[in-house]
Amino acid sequence: MKITIKNIAELAGVSPSTVSKVMNNYSGVSEETRKAVMDVIKENKYQPTYTARTLTTKKSKLIGLIYAGEINVDFTHPFFNEVITSFKKTIGAMGYDIIMFSNENFEHGDGSYLARCNYYHVEGCVIIAGDDIEEGVQELVKSGIPCVGIDIELTGPKVSYVMTDNVNLSTKVVQQLYLDGIREIAYIGGMRDSAVARNRKIGFVNAMKQLGMEINKDWMQYGDFYEESGYIAMKKLLNKKPYPKAVFAIADLMAFGALRAIEEEGLRVPQDIRIIGCDDINACRYSSPKLSTVKQYKDRLGKLAANVLNDLISGKKQIEPVLIDSKLIIRES
């Protein structure tokens, strides 16, 4: 027979509400009564169900994980995989579990993210950047449920976001190439609607203008942060001469695709064309040539997101967006 709180109360000679107070370490219970209840719980190996605990404490200790957008990068992308691993470890140490929400149909309620959050009683959500953000995300962040975005700008009550300073990131790349005597620089950006892609392009364009370098429209190409799109973008850059002397790809995976396209053309990196990527994923150290890149502090992004979300859940009404620095890593490319 499955034992319940009512059974524990009868065996201990107390009320069910007293058992609940003991289990949740509330005050107002004598040490003698507390010991009697705990002895019965241990003897019967009682474990409260998740539903019972949630109803009793009004806290689920659940965090919703959302990969936002109709077009998104998910846990298969090495950058976000590392960020979420850091977030998971940090938020887990605070006592939370994570439930992942897809953007597919949901059988309860109206199928929105907000409906799911209410159904599972989540205490907060972490939202990962994507493109073509669905209306359900905006509905959620305006609802009052604490939310933190990673690489996505969010506004609403009890909402904040953490992100690398992407304008400054691109500026560092352009300035370094300028110092190296390179003036003919191409750009492989991301989907144009995302905050990350938009800010990196702003940083690139502004730095080029500031240093008096020409922006060649034919050398401005775009991909989806994955390798094949970088390959296709680089093929377009190589369609006609003169070729650029350097290429800045705003994701390492796209830089690897560009590297493959350049080698197929019979050109050498870095002798003929230099390449700089972005993210500093582990593969950069093992490519041939080893990829120069801009390091984003993935572990720090995850930890900051976890701490900001916990503070919002704990009662802080608003925390300003957090922008963190990056570091240019020069290797062989």
Side-chain angles (χ1 to χ4, degrees):
M1 180 183 75
K2 185 176 180 180
I3 195 165
T4 66
I5 286 182
K6 185 177 180 181
N7 300 138
I8 295 294
E10 291 173 351
L11 291 169
V14 298
S15 68
S17 63
T18 299
V19 175
S20 177
K21 287 181 179 180
V22 171
M23 290 170 54
N24 294 291
N25 202 30
Y26 289 166
S27 59
V29 180
S30 69
E31 284 303 314
E32 182 181 357
T33 300
R34 188 179 300 277
K35 183 178 184 304
V37 171
M38 289 305 299
D39 286 345
V40 172
I41 288 173
K42 291 176 182 177
E43 288 171 9
N44 291 273
K45 298 179 180 178
Y46 173 68
Q47 290 289 337
T49 64
Y50 166 77
T51 302
R53 184 183 68 183
T54 301
L55 290 173
T56 302
T57 65
K58 307 300 182 186
K59 294 182 178 180
S60 67
K61 303 300 287 186
L62 278 180
I63 299 298
L65 169 60
I66 297 171
Y67 285 95
E70 298 301 323
I71 305 169
N72 59 47
V73 286
D74 56 24
F75 56 84
T76 63
H77 193 285
F79 170 75
F80 283 106
N81 188 20
E82 291 185 52
V83 173
I84 289 302
T85 296
S86 173
F87 175 86
K88 181 180 67 175
K89 288 180 179 178
T90 307
I91 207 76
M94 297 173 181
Y96 295 95
D97 289 313
I98 295 176
I99 180 171
M100 182 175 174
F101 294 146
S102 72
N103 55 6
E104 307 301 327
N105 291 330
F106 182 59
E107 61 180 322
H108 303 283
D110 60 8
S112 71
Y113 290 125
L114 180 57
R116 299 174 212 215
C117 289
N118 290 333
Y119 180 80
Y120 290 108
H121 304 285
V122 301
E123 296 194 49
C125 287
V126 58
I127 303 173
I128 311 299
D131 293 303
D132 297 337
I133 302 299
E134 57 268 61
E135 290 184 7
V137 172
Q138 300 304 326
E139 177 191 34
L140 174 61
V141 299
K142 293 176 182 177
S143 71
I145 292 175
C147 293
V148 169
I150 298 179
D151 270 3
I152 179 172
E153 296 173 343
L154 300 176
T155 56
K158 303 192 77 171
V159 166
S160 190
Y161 62 87
V162 297
M163 184 183 295
T164 298
D165 186 341
N166 289 295
V167 173
N168 180 258
L169 181 154
S170 292
T171 301
K172 289 179 180 180
V173 172
V174 174
Q175 288 178 350
Q176 184 61 52
L177 291 171
Y178 179 82
L179 291 173
D180 291 342
I182 304 297
R183 301 294 186 267
E184 300 85 10
I185 307 172
Y187 178 84
I188 300 178
M191 296 297 183
R192 306 184 194 195
D193 289 337
S194 76
V196 170
R198 182 174 65 250
N199 288 333
R200 288 181 190 172
K201 182 178 178 181
I202 288 172
F204 177 83
V205 170
N206 288 350
M208 291 284 287
K209 289 180 178 178
Q210 182 184 50
L211 294 170
M213 292 188 283
E214 181 184 356
I215 299 172
N216 187 328
K217 292 184 179 180
D218 291 334
W219 290 353
M220 301 287 287
Q221 298 296 329
Y222 301 91
D224 63 3
F225 293 94
Y226 285 94
E227 182 175 347
E228 188 61 25
S229 69
Y231 174 83
I232 294 170
M234 193 68 226
K235 283 289 190 181
K236 292 178 181 178
L237 291 172
L238 296 172
N239 272 343
K240 62 180 181 179
K241 296 181 179 180
Y243 300 145
K245 297 297 183 183
V247 178
F248 172 40
I250 70 166
D252 289 333
L253 291 181
M254 291 199 298
F256 290 141
L259 178 62
R260 177 160 56 94
I262 292 170
E263 290 176 342
E264 285 184 3
E265 195 70 18
L267 301 171
R268 299 169 300 165
V269 174
Q271 291 89 341
D272 298 312
I273 301 178
R274 301 187 186 191
I275 296 182
I276 297 180
C278 183
D279 292 337
D280 193 32
I281 62 176
N282 288 333
C284 296
R285 299 160 181 79
Y286 308 109
S287 62
S288 180
K290 295 177 182 177
L291 185 67
S292 297
T293 185
V294 187
K295 178 182 181 65
Q296 293 196 80
Y297 293 100
K298 300 176 282 291
D299 184 65
R300 190 173 185 84
L301 281 167
K303 287 179 178 178
L304 278 167
N307 278 276
V308 169
L309 183 55
N310 184 56
D311 280 348
L312 290 171
I313 292 170
S314 299
K316 289 193 176 181
K317 292 183 179 180
Q318 193 68 42
I319 297 177
E320 292 298 314
V322 182
L323 297 181
I324 69 172
D325 200 9
S326 56
K327 182 180 180 181
L328 185 60
I329 306 292
I330 301 299
R331 294 194 175 99
E332 298 173 350
S333 67

